[in-house]
Amino acid sequence: MKITHIETYPVEIPIKPERRMISSLGQHTVSRYLLVRLLTDAGIEGAGEATVSARWSGETVWGARALVDRVFAKHLVGCDPADVVEIDRRMDAACAHNWFAKSAIEMACWDIRGKAEGKPIYELLGGAVRPLAVCSRYSMGAYEPAHAAARATELVAAGFTTIKVKVGRDAAADVERVRAVRAAIGPKIALTIDANCGWDVDTAIRAIRKLADCHLALVEQPTPDGDYAALARVRRETDVPVMADDICFNLVHAQELVRNECCDVISVYPGKHGGIRKAREIIDFAAAHGVACSIGSNLELDVATAAMAHLVVASPNMQVEKHPGDMLGADYHEVRIARNPISIAGPITTITPRAGLGVEVDWQLVKECRCD
């Protein structure tokens, strides 16, 4: 089987008003992502998704499209899509970084292989080690305290048992927001915070200590990207488990996190790491060094959400039971681009045993959402 053609579709889909994100990176009110369609000489096609964000990974929908169309395609047409190692090798040789663009191609290859073998991707990864229904936390924006408290109350009523609050904008306001949420949800609901690199190390330590009475379950990426010493210091000087996210894009980054004893948990997901295979490498490396992993998110649509869920279901070290992750992105959006959308009910995301990703993209709807 050979890849014969690659099609790209830039889309623009608004976030539901009640789920719009505010973080240290700014506001996220509309998603401009790239959908990829791989065609083969066997008549089997695969879907991929690049969940790009200029302010986070540095990628844009237009840059990702140009990269796939003008750089990757000429190296990949004629390749066997089942040979993911070779696909990755060719993309890495052609272009550095650009993790989300590469992941779109790679997850489409897994989709094709699964369909060809009649197996869901989690079976290709070694089989399910947990149920196909996975519980997530809710990632809530950096709202004003009263709004944050009211929203958190609604989320607990909807069945969420872990709430993540965005911080990292202004330390005093951040602390006030987290306190308001803890007061609203009571002592039994798990509470985590995520600064998205927005604090310096001293601010992070002071803020976390001020929140001691809020009994945080986890502090996610409190310090700047690339500063492993800062993250390690936060872990040493506070008593809340630390999750690394924005600082870890590849296996070398994971190795640095372990070498510097930076974190208790690593946030892992296919888009951020260039695909399912590379994400699994990081998960397995972390497991060998006693570091847990959980699933992260960039507010994916159905295609990338499916890739994430298959990875979680098949990976023992994705410790989502102890450290719930983020896998609700498709439900944040006003439009679902799949004919058979992934089931997302409150905190529970459920995939099926259908072959490949298990998602059938509505390409006509995708064309209607185009943002060229």
Side-chain angles (χ1 to χ4, degrees):
M1 182 166 51
K2 305 295 182 184
I3 297 171
T4 58
H5 190 59
I6 304 174
E7 298 176 356
T8 53
Y9 300 90
V11 299
E12 180 177 280
I13 301 177
I15 302 292
K16 295 175 181 176
E18 69 276 14
R19 299 197 174 202
R20 289 174 182 169
M21 186 57 64
I22 303 172
S23 73
S24 63
L25 302 173
Q27 296 191 41
H28 185 162
T29 60
V30 63
S31 296
R32 296 181 181 93
Y33 297 157
L34 187 73
L35 275 297
V36 171
R37 189 179 191 181
L38 258 65
L39 307 175
T40 69
D41 59 1
I44 302 173
E45 64 178 57
E49 174 189 326
T51 315
V52 292
S53 172
R55 290 173 297 190
W56 200 78
S57 74
E59 297 173 77
T60 68
V61 65
W62 304 283
R65 187 185 193 190
L67 193 62
V68 173
D69 289 347
R70 301 186 181 191
V71 179
F72 292 155
K74 62 185 177 184
H75 295 286
L76 300 179
V77 169
C79 288
D80 180 357
D83 190 352
V84 174
V85 172
E86 177 62 14
I87 295 291
D88 284 346
R89 188 196 69 77
R90 291 189 178 213
M91 289 194 291
D92 289 342
C95 176
H97 310 314
N98 288 276
W99 324 103
F100 286 89
K102 291 175 179 177
S103 75
I105 297 289
E106 199 253 21
M107 71 179 69
C109 289
W110 283 100
D111 192 26
I112 289 169
R113 180 184 165 192
K115 290 173 180 176
E117 297 185 24
K119 297 178 180 179
I121 290 173
Y122 65 77
E123 290 291 348
L124 302 179
L125 293 171
V129 297
R130 56 177 47 86
L132 303 188
V134 177
C135 186
S136 293
R137 60 188 176 180
Y138 189 94
S139 183
M140 188 173 67
Y143 306 137
E144 291 300 314
H147 181 190
R151 184 69 179 126
T153 301
E154 294 172 350
L155 294 167
V156 172
F160 285 89
T161 56
T162 302
I163 305 295
K164 179 171 84 170
V165 179
K166 291 289 188 177
V167 295
R169 293 168 65 83
D170 172 84
D174 291 334
V175 169
E176 185 181 359
R177 179 183 315 111
V178 177
R179 287 189 180 283
V181 170
R182 171 52 83 197
I185 64 178
K188 295 183 179 180
I189 300 297
L191 180 60
T192 73
I193 60 173
D194 180 7
N196 287 114
C197 300
W199 287 331
D200 60 60
V201 63
D202 292 324
T203 300
I205 291 169
R206 285 195 302 268
I208 294 166
R209 287 175 176 172
K210 285 180 180 179
L211 291 169
D213 59 349
C214 288
H215 304 291
L216 299 177
L218 196 71
V219 173
E220 184 172 349
Q221 199 57 56
T223 50
D225 181 17
D227 196 339
Y228 296 95
L231 195 61
R233 186 180 156 204
V234 170
R235 184 169 181 247
R236 287 195 309 270
E237 297 185 21
T238 63
D239 58 1
V240 181
V242 171
M243 172 182 274
D245 180 13
D246 314 48
I247 201 170
C248 183
F249 283 86
N250 61 26
L251 183 59
V252 172
H253 296 158
Q255 291 168 343
E256 287 301 306
L257 288 170
V258 169
R259 183 179 296 118
N260 290 280
E261 299 182 346
C262 292
C263 60
D264 303 279
V265 190
I266 301 175
S267 174
V268 176
Y269 54 105
K272 186 176 68 163
H273 305 301
I276 293 171
R277 185 185 70 84
K278 292 178 179 178
R280 182 62 176 265
E281 279 187 340
I282 291 172
I283 294 166
D284 292 344
F285 170 81
H289 292 83
V291 177
C293 292
S294 187
I295 191 71
S297 172
N298 210 26
L299 298 187
E300 291 76 10
L301 306 176
D302 281 274
V303 175
T305 300
M308 294 158 63
H310 283 277
L311 181 66
V312 169
V313 165
S315 302
N317 194 38
M318 289 296 272
Q319 298 182 33
V320 294
E321 297 82 9
K322 182 177 181 180
H323 305 289
D326 308 305
M327 208 159 59
L328 307 172
D331 195 43
Y332 276 56
H333 292 85
E334 292 186 358
V335 176
R336 302 290 292 272
I337 49 85
R339 296 183 187 278
N340 55 340
I342 289 176
S343 172
I344 301 177
I348 306 298
T349 299
T350 306
I351 56 172
T352 73
R354 287 191 292 265
L357 288 169
V359 170
E360 181 186 354
V361 175
D362 185 338
W363 293 108
Q364 181 56 46
L365 179 58
V366 165
K367 292 175 184 178
E368 293 171 6
C369 294
R370 285 178 72 140
C371 64
D372 319 55

